[in-house]
Amino acid sequence: MSHKPVKAVVFDLDGTLYLSGRPYPGAVETVKRVAKQVPVYYLSNNTSKSPVFYENRLKVMGLPLKGDSIISALSLSLDAIHEKGIKNVFFFANPEVYEWFAAQDPSLNLRPSVEDTELVLVAYHNSFDYRELCELSFRVQRKIPFWVTHTDFVCPDARGPVPDIGSFMALLKTAYGVEPERSFGKPNPAMLEGLLKKFEPEEILFVGDRLYTDFELAKRSGCRFVLPLCGETKRSDLEKLEVKPEYVVENVKEIDFDGFLS
């Protein structure tokens, strides 16, 4: 089966290019080489940090970066809030992310009372205390519209996976029988919507280490996909799949990008 040459490459960050901020061997050099031939983009479901944090991290690592290189579920969430004309949003997020969100639109009230709350938005918050969790619960149990930035069950960490928004969702469903109305991160094809306006789906190559987010996003959007086994997915996990990734490698530096780009 012939394919069009790839014209853009999207890399997942955590677990694909690095783990806990430490690049995998050869990953930075590989991305630099690819960026000399086609535009390179970075995508992550991790909303515990702001896009500014990721921009600075990538710069420190020496990864090539342009103004629109980082694709964030936070930006998609904010766009949806604007589309709905919502102003009173209870934002469950780390302080840095809260401040970034507030700076993007100072007209938003991100700490409304329970009575005034129009929407609950949950980011990956890993610094909350029990009182803040209760404030979240006071709102979702009243059936106030509830969105999440993404639905990952765990977030990769050097010491082992840690609970992410999907785990928070399970807690809230168990306690109150509620589930979010919308999610913006992978595997939602909206994450690649901007690129799909510039390129045909098969002209985009997505490199990611997770099956239920990265591979699922590639399938839903129609783009090509490479699975490196340096992150969450193990080779034994592939045996359970009816539809398997077309390309599986041990790590990013093993990918034959020349074959995709020509």
Side-chain angles (χ1 to χ4, degrees):
M1 180 179 178
S2 61
H3 292 281
K4 295 180 180 179
V6 165
K7 295 184 179 180
V9 179
V10 181
F11 291 96
D12 175 61
L13 291 175
D14 300 293
T16 300
L17 294 182
Y18 58 72
L19 184 63
S20 297
R22 296 185 177 184
Y24 290 122
V28 173
E29 294 77 9
T30 300
V31 176
K32 285 182 176 180
R33 187 172 68 252
V34 173
K36 291 179 180 179
Q37 302 177 70
V38 295
V40 165
Y41 300 88
Y42 308 97
L43 186 154
S44 175
N45 267 5
N46 190 340
T47 52
S48 68
K49 303 292 185 181
S50 73
V52 174
F53 171 88
Y54 282 108
E55 180 179 342
N56 292 333
R57 169 175 278 182
L58 297 180
K59 286 179 179 177
V60 169
M61 289 183 179
L63 286 163
L65 193 66
K66 295 182 179 179
D68 63 346
S69 296
I70 297 174
I71 302 172
S72 171
L74 289 170
S75 299
L76 295 176
S77 304
L78 184 60
D79 290 343
I81 288 170
H82 288 156
E83 289 171 8
K84 292 286 187 179
I86 298 170
K87 289 298 181 183
N88 297 295
V89 182
F90 181 81
F91 191 30
F92 186 75
N94 281 337
E96 174 206 329
V97 175
Y98 179 96
E99 291 171 7
W100 179 87
F101 212 83
Q104 304 310 300
D105 185 353
S107 72
L108 293 177
N109 176 12
L110 299 179
R111 281 293 180 265
S113 66
V114 173
E115 293 74 22
D116 290 338
T117 300
E118 300 173 80
L119 173 72
V120 173
L121 176 62
V122 175
Y124 175 30
H125 193 346
N126 56 11
S127 64
F128 65 87
D129 60 20
Y130 189 74
R131 184 62 193 175
E132 193 171 1
L133 179 62
C134 290
E135 289 295 331
L136 170 64
S137 74
F138 295 151
R139 290 160 174 82
V140 298
Q141 65 187 267
R142 287 169 171 76
K143 312 301 182 185
I144 293 171
F146 165 34
W147 296 354
V148 294
T149 58
H150 61 277
T151 58
D152 293 23
F153 294 111
V154 295
C155 180
D157 184 88
R159 294 176 294 174
V162 295
D164 204 328
I165 292 179
S167 300
F168 303 166
M169 289 164 47
L171 182 156
L172 295 170
K173 183 177 181 180
T174 299
Y176 308 112
V178 297
E179 294 184 282
E181 296 178 2
R182 296 185 68 175
S183 171
F184 299 91
K186 302 174 294 182
N188 188 343
M191 288 289 275
L192 295 178
E193 192 173 82
L195 293 187
L196 290 170
K197 293 178 180 178
K198 302 177 183 179
F199 308 103
E200 295 295 323
E202 68 173 30
E203 293 175 335
I204 300 171
L205 176 65
F206 183 41
V207 182
D209 70 297
R210 280 184 168 177
L211 296 175
Y212 72 93
T213 55
D214 299 328
F215 184 37
E216 187 63 26
L217 171 61
K219 289 191 293 182
R220 293 186 187 185
S221 62
C223 67
R224 303 183 71 186
F225 181 72
V226 176
L227 173 74
L229 298 173
C230 52
E232 179 176 306
T233 303
K234 308 306 176 189
R235 195 170 293 276
S236 58
D237 297 327
L238 302 178
E239 299 172 3
K240 310 167 189 175
L241 299 179
E242 292 185 10
V243 179
K244 294 178 172 56
E246 186 177 1
Y247 300 97
V248 180
V249 295
E250 292 301 319
N251 50 58
V252 168
K253 70 178 182 179
E254 289 189 2
I255 300 173
D256 177 19
F257 282 105
D258 292 335
F260 285 106
L261 301 176
S262 59

